[in-house]
Every structure is written in C-alpha cells, then in structure tokens.
DNA sequence: ACTTGAACCTCTAGCTACTATAGGTTTTAT
DNA sequence: ATAAAACCTATAGTAGCTAGAGGTTCAAGT
C-alpha cells in the first residue's frame, strides 16, 4: 500500500487547501517533506494526504498552527509507542478546551461590539439627533454602554 | 486655546494607546504629524488628543484602520465645509453597518465552531469511546455536524 | 552648572497565517 | 517536437501592531 503518488495540485484538490499553502505548511515543518521527482517536483503519498487533511480541518476549526502541531505530535507519538490513548486524549481535550474558551471569550467580546454598533446605528436612523450618533460615540467612549474589553485575539 | 502641549507619553496615558502605537499611527498618516521640540521630540495639542481618542475608540470597537481613516476624513470634511451633516451621517452609518455585518457573520461562524468543539469534548468526557473524539473528528470532517464556512476574517 | 535617570528618538525585525507576483523549469499530451 | 499546464524558488506584501537595539533629549535635583 501507499503506492499511489499525488502531485501537489492533486493534493490541493483533494483537501481544498491551496497549493502555496501546502508548500507553506512544508516550510514551517508542519507537513513532512515529500520525496521529489528527478526534476524536483513533489510527490505525495496517502500518509501525506491524511496529515494534510488533519491540518486543514484543524485550521477550519480555528485551531492555531501551534495547537495543530502539538496535536499532530500526539498522534504520532501514539502510533509510534502504542502508549495508552488516555494521556493523549487528555492532552488533546485540554487543547480543544483552551480553544473553546478562546472562542467563547471572542464571542462575548463581539456580542458586546455588536450591541454597541446596533445602538449607534439605530440612534441615527431614528433621526432625532441633529448630529450623527456613530460619529459622536466614536469621539466619546462615555456614550458607550459596554466596555469592549480587548481580549487578545486573532482569527 | 490649544495652548497646552503633551508629550507622547502623556498622550499615551490619556488615551490608553501605547507609545509605539501612536508613532505607528503617525507613520501610516492616520494621526497628523505633531510639531517637534528643537531636540526632535513630539509635542501634541488638544486636537491631536481628540483625534487619537477617536482612532483608539474606533479600534476598540473593532473598526479596521481603513474605515477609521474614512470616518476621520468625513469628520474633517464636515468641519471644513460645514456641509449638511446628512451625507456624512449617511456614509458613517453605512460604514458602521458594514462593520456590524462583518461582526455578525463572525459571531455566527464562531458559534458554529463553539458547538462543534463542545461536541467533541463532551464525547471524550462521556468516555464511551476507546479513542479520542477530538483526534477522530480532526482527522475526519465527516464526523462534523456543521460546515464551519470560512468567512474572510481578521481581528 | 552639572549630573543623572526617565523618557524620548529612529530603525529594523518579528508576530499569524497566509497570498501574490516574478521569472524560470518540468511534465504531459498532442 | 512543441506547446500548454502545472510545477519550482524566492521575495514581498497583507493587518495591526510590538519588541529590541542603540543612541539622544529633557527635567529635576544637587
Ligand atoms: Zn449617523
Ligand atoms: Zn466605547
Ligand atoms: Zn479526547
Ligand atoms: Zn469539520
């Protein structure tokens, strides 16, 4: 098995991951270096495909690269050593839980912003003010209802 | 009026905006260049302070720099020309509305991820599986309930 | 007047996760 | 044999800052 080889373009189609992104993942050593043809083109096998799917799905679920890297290592470790799945599961769950918390904090923060924005916009639409509420609120946080606490964020 | 001058550190304390960030805003021509002392240090006036407050508040509310730039220009334009506030308000509201939509899309996307993550984690906690559900789901999107549609995003 | 230390200055590089472009080579099909 | 499609590397750009190095200026105290 593992006899079928894929070009980078085929891998891209199978996973939905763009070609430059695949090369990028190789560059940061997330995806192992594939063998090359004599001419220097990459040829992937089924294992690469599986790994890339894992990576892409992790990214789609919003996991940072760092987390995906650790999850891949856990996976590798388990396959290598046949260690009890318990520890790996524990750590994987922990990583997922941290990610869940980040997301929940982010949702809370964005919900606050959403409410604030709705209020400004509605105040303008109702048109009782001679000046734009959007501009006024931007100029003066006192007019805000919430504090839009800045969670450190990305994605 | 406008006689009181502030150092960049004082401006920083007044707004909560970090010193390098203030210099960064100047570099991208968002905040106008302040006059300098003979020795080359920046000295700001009340107008700079007001502008920086506007910028920082806009950022706290999640507006991209590009939007803030346009909002500042609207503000400037109105003060210069005493044009009817109507048009400015209309455009400002439009910008705010676009931002609101971005945020709502983002909240929707994150809510999907949150649900997905909760499901994986719970499946692991219930412990009926001999394998880690977090790992399994990552390896196979088929096990997902949602499609985690990737809205283009930032912040 | 002189010294000290905090605050200031510029410049460059780094962060996340890609994406785009330029300019060239390999593969595959006709 | 030729030509198009797909591949290659390398570099720079995206957003919005932040950190560091290495040097200068300012204001206060003696
Ligand atoms: Zn308005
Ligand atoms: Zn506010
Ligand atoms: Zn688990
Ligand atoms: Zn999925």
């Amino acid at each position: 098995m593992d006899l079928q080889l894929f070009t980078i373009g085929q891998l891209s189609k199978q996973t939905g991951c763009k070609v430059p992104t695949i090369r990028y993942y190789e560059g940061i050593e997330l995806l192992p270096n594939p063998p090359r043809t004599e001419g220097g083109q990459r040829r992937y096998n089924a294992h690469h495909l599986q790994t890339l799917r894992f990576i892409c799905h992790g990214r789609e679920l919003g996991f940072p690269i760092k987390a995906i890297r650790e999850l891949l290592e856990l996976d590798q470790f388990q396959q290598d050593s046949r260690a009890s799945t318990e520890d790996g599961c524990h750590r994987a769950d922990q990583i997922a839980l941290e990610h869940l918390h980040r997301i929940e904090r982010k949702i809370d923060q964005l919900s606050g912003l959403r409410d604030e924005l709705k209020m400004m916009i509605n105040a303008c639409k109702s048109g009782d003010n001679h000046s734009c509420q959007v501009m006024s609120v931007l100029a003066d946080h006192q007019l805000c209802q919430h504090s839009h606490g800045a969670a450190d964020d990305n994605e």
Side-chain angles (χ1 to χ4, degrees), chain A:
Chain A
M1 57 293 286
D2 255 26
L3 295 177
Q4 203 189 351
L5 295 180
F6 311 98
T7 66
I8 197 168
Q10 288 165 341
L11 215 63
S12 173
K13 262 169 213 153
Q14 300 256 351
T15 58
C17 185
K18 288 173 188 163
V19 169
T21 305
I22 298 175
R23 288 198 278 250
Y24 168 73
Y25 289 150
E26 180 183 325
I28 61 171
E29 294 180 80
L30 196 58
L31 187 65
N33 296 73
R36 305 275 188 135
T37 60
E38 282 185 25
Q41 299 197 357
R42 294 165 177 83
R43 290 299 122 99
Y44 297 94
N45 63 31
H47 181 66
H48 291 109
L49 179 56
Q50 197 188 350
T51 303
L52 183 57
R53 271 204 227 279
F54 189 100
I55 295 169
C56 293
H57 198 209
R59 289 295 302 134
E60 280 161 24
L61 288 165
F63 283 92
I65 298 271
K66 204 174 178 179
I68 294 175
R69 197 187 293 279
E70 195 178 343
L71 290 166
L72 277 174
E73 279 163 12
L74 282 175
D75 198 38
Q76 200 53 49
F77 181 72
Q78 278 179 22
Q79 289 187 7
D80 285 359
S81 69
R82 286 149 206 259
S84 92
T85 319
E86 288 299 311
D87 294 343
C89 174
H90 181 67
R91 181 64 190 131
D93 294 6
Q94 202 179 343
I95 291 170
L97 201 58
E98 278 164 21
H99 184 41
L100 176 58
H101 290 332
R102 268 200 307 276
I103 286 180
E104 285 177 334
R105 276 201 307 275
K106 188 75 193 172
I107 289 176
D108 287 349
Q109 191 214 341
L110 290 181
S111 303
L113 296 190
R114 181 197 50 198
D115 297 346
E116 208 72 69
L117 284 167
K118 276 187 182 170
M119 240 173 313
M120 297 183 210
I121 293 169
N122 283 333
C124 266
K125 266 200 299 210
S126 70
D128 300 339
N129 308 283
H130 46 293
S131 66
C132 177
Q133 268 313 97
V134 171
M135 293 301 250
S136 303
V137 173
L138 275 167
D140 185 5
H141 172 60
Q142 305 269 47
L143 300 173
C144 279
Q145 313 296 313
H146 308 76
S147 62
H148 14 283
D152 54 352
D153 68 64
N154 33 20
E155 166 102 359

